[in-house]
């Protein structure tokens, strides 16, 4: 539809300059949500080209990148963008050839070949910041830490070493630390499964498979991050399996990370899974409060030193961050950075109230989405009822109205279907939900009290 409208008419729906999304903020959130690796590989170079009332046009460097993003990340990206602007309903991608960066295989550039031959294959953002000495050890990650250290002195002792945890618990940090430590003396390769796949596909397209194989099979220590990415990707698994075997045969150490144990990688070939379980499998558990506070304090010191800043944060701020932002260490560090930005601008440590304000969207985002139960609780307490009353079969108006409002909000603010919502209201029929929604829509126009209640409830909800 958009294509056939004359440009001038299309432009009417363009968002005014001053109301445009702040793309840098969106990118920052992408980075947090997708993780550094996916961000660096695919998302960093996306630009906001145009913004309309209900959709945005984003530019990507190549068709390949576009297809990749659309099939994997577009839904999540839209969610993130919506968290900044509710009105955006879809994304459009535009291929901007000028944007293609020198995105070649590492060995296709003369200058880099030497660095690869010399020491560490560091094209995969081998970060100087994630070292053993700044990895804070506690009960939940001690085993993983010890094993990782051991690999560096005594190669192929546990082979492979398989570390798993949920996101943001320090897997990549540890893997990176191994690379930094061992990379001085051994030919170390550190790559995410996602990048491995990327180079693999490119190599096929460019007829460079021989180079590809040589490169990956020459490592003494081969570290591959986020192997769960290979789930269901048959061609890649095939290649990985051969790489894996070739490496083991040479006596090279392999280190693998994943967001789940090998046994739960359900779409990975059985022979690979059993190979991966053949060494040492270790998990990292979520850190407890004490460890979280320690990590925060250590990050804070690092930032202070690196940027030669001279501000301080109150103890209650650390405690607040460690208590409120529990989902992952990554989120917690992200939250810390926000708080620091505040202290820098205001030249003082924020108090708890200010922290809450600064981190509003952060914490909401963590607590995840609005659901029917949440709405029922909120509505019940707003009308001084308990949830049982709200869900009961009684039809007195003092119960029926709040109930209808709750159904209306559930329809508007969750993705549950009408029958689903009905079920959650003591197995009512979906026609009852439809009736409730219509009724409240009418009343919002006619009845000021209802209008006010709905408005206030929405405010609390969002
Ligand atoms: P994962 O790979 O498990 O998703 P990362 O290694 O990317 O997690 O960790 C996310 C962030 O948290 C990084 O900034 C990392 O340095 C930090 N982090 C996680 N655990 C620790 C720890 N024990 N000590 C210091 N920093 C940590
Ligand atoms: Mg990681």
């Amino acid at each position: 539809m958009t294509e056939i409208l004359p440009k001038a008419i299309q432009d009417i729906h363009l968002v005014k300059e001053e109301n445009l999304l702040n793309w840098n903020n969106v990118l920052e959130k992408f980075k947090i949500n997708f993780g550094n690796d996916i961000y660096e590989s695919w998302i960093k170079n996306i630009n906001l080209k145009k913004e309309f009332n209900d959709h945005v046009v984003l530019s990507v460097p190549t068709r390949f990148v576009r297809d990749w993003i659309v099939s994997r990340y577009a839904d999540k990206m839209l969610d993130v963008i919506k968290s900044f602007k509710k009105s955006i309903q879809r994304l459009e991608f535009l291929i901007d050839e000028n944007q293609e960066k020198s995105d070649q295989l590492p060995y296709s550039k003369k200058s880099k070949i030497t660095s690869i031959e010399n020491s560490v294959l560091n094209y995969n953002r081998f970060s100087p910041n994630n070292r053993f000495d700044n990895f804070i050890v506690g009960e939940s990650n001690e085993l993983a830490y010890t094993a990782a250290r051991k690999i560096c002195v005594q190669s192929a002792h546990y082979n492979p070493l398989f570390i798993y945890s949920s996101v943001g618990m320090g897997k990549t940090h540890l893997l990176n630390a191994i690379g930094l430590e061992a990379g001085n003396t051994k030919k170390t390769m550190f790559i995410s499964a996602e990048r491995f796949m990327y180079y693999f596909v490119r190599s096929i397209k460019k007829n460079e498979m021989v180079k590809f194989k040589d490169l990956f099979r020459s490592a003494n220590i081969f570290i591959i991050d986020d192997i769960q990415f290979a789930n269901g990707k048959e061609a890649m698994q095939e290649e990985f399996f051969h790489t894996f075997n070739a490496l083991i045969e040479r006596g090279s150490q392999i280190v693998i990370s994943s967001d789940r144990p090998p046994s739960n990688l359900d779409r990975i070939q059985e022979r690979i899974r059993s190979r991966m379980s053949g060494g040492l499998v270790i998990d990292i558990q979520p850190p407890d409060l004490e460890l979280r506070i320690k990590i925060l304090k250590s990050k804070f010191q690092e930032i202070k030193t690196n940027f030669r800043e001279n501000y301080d944060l109150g103890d209650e701020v650390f405690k607040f961050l460690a208590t409120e932002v529990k989902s992952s260490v990554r989120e917690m560090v992200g939250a810390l950075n926000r708080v620091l930005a505040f202290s820098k601008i205001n030249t003082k440590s924020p108090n708890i109230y200010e922290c809450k304000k600064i981190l509003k969207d952060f914490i909401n985002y963590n607590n995840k989405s609005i659901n029917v139960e949440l709405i029922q609780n909120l509505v019940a307490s707003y009308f001084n009822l308990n949830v049982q009353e709200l869900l009961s079969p009684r039809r007195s108006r003092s119960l029926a109205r709040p109930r209808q409002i709750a159904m209306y909000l559930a329809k508007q603010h969750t993705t549950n279907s009408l029958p689903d919502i009905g079920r959650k209201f003591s197995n009512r029929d979906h026609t009852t939900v439809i009736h409730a929604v219509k009724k409240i829509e009418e009343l919002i126009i006619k009845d000021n009290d209802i209008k006010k209640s709905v408005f206030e409830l929405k405010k609390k909800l969002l």
Side-chain angles (χ1 to χ4, degrees):
M1 187 64 192
T2 14
E3 272 96 318
I4 52 173
L5 284 173
K7 194 173 171 309
I9 293 182
Q10 282 184 41
D11 286 352
I12 290 174
H13 299 285
L14 269 175
V15 172
K16 285 207 194 88
E17 179 101 30
E18 64 270 24
N19 298 330
L20 283 178
L21 275 168
N22 180 331
W23 191 244
N24 283 334
N25 289 350
V26 177
L27 284 175
E28 190 201 344
K29 196 129 184 188
F30 283 157
K31 192 169 180 175
I32 292 167
N33 284 11
F34 287 104
N36 224 343
D37 199 62
I38 292 177
Y39 177 80
E40 291 284 333
S41 309
W42 303 104
I43 294 179
K44 185 170 76 173
N45 292 328
I46 300 176
N47 286 318
L48 177 64
K49 276 286 163 192
K50 275 188 180 177
E51 183 180 338
F52 296 87
N53 290 335
D54 67 340
H55 72 284
V56 291
V57 180
L58 307 177
S59 70
V60 291
T62 63
R63 192 170 297 275
F64 175 61
V65 171
R66 180 199 61 193
D67 295 345
W68 191 276
I69 292 172
V70 167
S71 63
R72 288 169 179 79
Y73 309 125
D75 289 350
K76 259 188 164 176
M77 284 173 61
L78 181 59
D79 286 345
V80 169
I81 292 175
K82 276 181 157 170
S83 76
F84 286 92
K85 229 182 226 177
K86 276 227 157 52
S87 56
I88 307 285
Q89 297 301 325
R90 64 193 164 85
L91 311 178
E92 260 177 36
F93 289 93
L94 177 124
I95 295 159
D96 184 356
E97 307 272 349
N98 299 333
Q99 224 178 294
E100 173 141 49
K101 297 265 155 66
S102 46
D103 199 8
Q104 306 292 326
L105 269 169
Y107 44 76
S108 63
K109 274 203 198 133
K110 257 254 145 24
S111 62
K112 281 198 179 164
I113 295 175
T114 35
S115 78
I116 288 168
E117 281 166 358
N118 283 350
S119 60
V120 184
L121 293 148
N122 74 348
Y123 51 88
N124 196 27
R125 294 167 303 95
F126 218 33
S127 162
N129 301 323
N130 294 336
R131 308 176 305 269
F132 281 125
D133 69 63
N134 67 356
F135 188 82
I136 312 300
V137 184
E139 212 176 311
S140 50
N141 58 22
E142 191 176 358
L143 278 178
Y145 171 83
T146 311
R149 284 224 93 136
K150 182 138 193 188
I151 292 294
C152 300
V153 280
Q154 196 177 10
S155 208
H157 188 65
Y158 323 110
N159 215 4
L161 170 63
F162 188 104
I163 299 177
Y164 73 92
S165 77
S166 55
V167 297
M169 296 296 163
K171 297 182 295 293
T172 303
H173 187 136
L174 269 185
L175 263 47
N176 191 87
I178 297 175
L180 281 179
E181 177 110 353
N184 292 329
T185 48
K186 295 175 184 126
K187 198 161 173 181
T188 305
M189 164 101 55
F190 175 42
I191 191 163
S192 69
E194 173 124 32
R195 275 259 134 176
F196 185 83
M197 174 76 182
Y198 177 75
Y199 288 137
F200 174 58
V201 174
R202 277 189 86 104
S203 300
I204 295 174
K205 279 172 72 173
K206 295 190 161 186
N207 244 332
E208 293 183 332
M209 272 316 284
V210 178
K211 276 189 197 168
F212 178 90
K213 285 178 200 289
D214 286 350
L215 176 70
F216 287 104
R217 288 170 197 192
S218 62
N220 300 120
I221 299 191
F222 179 74
I223 307 170
I224 187 156
D225 202 3
D226 289 325
I227 195 73
Q228 75 277 356
F229 176 81
N231 246 3
K233 303 197 174 60
E234 282 300 321
M236 173 187 172
Q237 289 183 25
E238 207 54 45
E239 184 56 35
F240 178 69
F241 184 69
H242 294 305
T243 307
F244 191 110
N245 287 339
L247 287 166
I248 294 266
E249 217 155 90
R250 293 181 73 221
S252 301
Q253 172 72 48
I254 298 173
V255 184
I256 303 169
S257 86
S258 165
D259 68 352
R260 63 200 91 167
S263 53
N264 289 2
L265 290 164
D266 49 2
R267 291 168 66 211
I268 287 206
Q269 297 170 14
E270 174 52 35
R271 55 183 185 162
I272 300 182
R273 247 185 298 153
S274 79
R275 276 260 168 180
M276 291 196 294
S277 324
L280 181 65
V281 178
I282 297 184
D283 64 338
I284 302 179
Q285 288 296 324
D288 56 18
L289 182 66
E290 187 196 348
L291 182 56
R292 285 206 300 276
I293 292 180
K294 267 196 200 159
I295 294 174
L296 275 175
K297 289 195 164 161
S298 137
K299 294 277 172 203
F300 176 61
Q301 281 310 330
E302 255 176 40
I303 295 169
K304 255 173 88 168
T305 322
N306 287 346
F307 295 97
R308 305 224 180 92
E309 301 283 3
N310 202 12
Y311 36 52
D312 258 313
L313 288 184
D315 257 356
E316 74 284 357
V317 175
F318 288 111
K319 182 115 188 265
F320 176 83
L321 290 173
T323 323
E324 293 297 322
V325 192
K326 275 194 268 228
S327 52
S328 78
V329 178
R330 180 181 300 142
E331 295 263 351
M332 203 173 68
V333 174
L336 174 69
N337 277 317
R338 286 244 189 134
V339 170
L340 288 178
F342 174 98
S343 331
K344 202 167 158 181
I345 295 165
N346 298 287
T347 57
K348 67 160 196 138
S349 170
N351 56 36
I352 298 297
Y353 175 73
E354 286 162 333
C355 280
K356 279 192 183 148
K357 251 172 73 181
I358 303 165
L359 299 174
K360 196 155 155 267
D361 51 330
F362 232 91
I363 292 170
N364 284 344
Y365 208 86
N366 270 323
N367 291 345
K368 274 282 158 49
S369 48
I370 301 165
N371 57 37
V372 179
E373 289 75 12
L374 180 81
I375 292 173
Q376 289 170 342
N377 280 316
L378 197 74
V379 173
S381 83
Y382 181 85
F383 290 102
N384 282 323
L385 306 168
N386 59 42
V387 177
Q388 286 88 322
E389 286 175 305
L390 191 74
L391 301 184
S392 74
R394 285 164 48 205
R395 292 199 197 166
S396 65
R397 174 161 302 179
S398 62
L399 294 180
R401 279 285 181 268
R403 189 181 296 138
Q404 288 174 328
I405 290 178
M407 289 180 183
Y408 165 84
L409 290 172
K411 172 72 185 71
Q412 282 219 321
H413 296 287
T414 71
T415 51
N416 294 57
S417 65
L418 292 168
D420 217 30
I421 295 173
R423 266 192 293 280
K424 292 189 186 259
F425 281 82
S426 309
N427 271 325
R428 286 177 162 81
D429 194 71
H430 74 278
T431 52
T432 310
V433 184
I434 295 176
H435 175 73
V437 173
K438 280 208 181 121
K439 186 81 206 169
I440 299 302
E441 278 171 354
E442 274 171 39
L443 288 175
I444 288 177
I445 301 167
K446 288 197 293 210
D447 183 331
N448 266 332
D449 287 345
I450 298 276
K451 182 177 165 184
K452 186 166 153 255
S453 306
V454 171
F455 177 76
E456 284 179 1
L457 278 163
K458 277 192 185 177
K459 226 167 66 184
K460 282 186 202 279
L461 199 60
L462 309 172

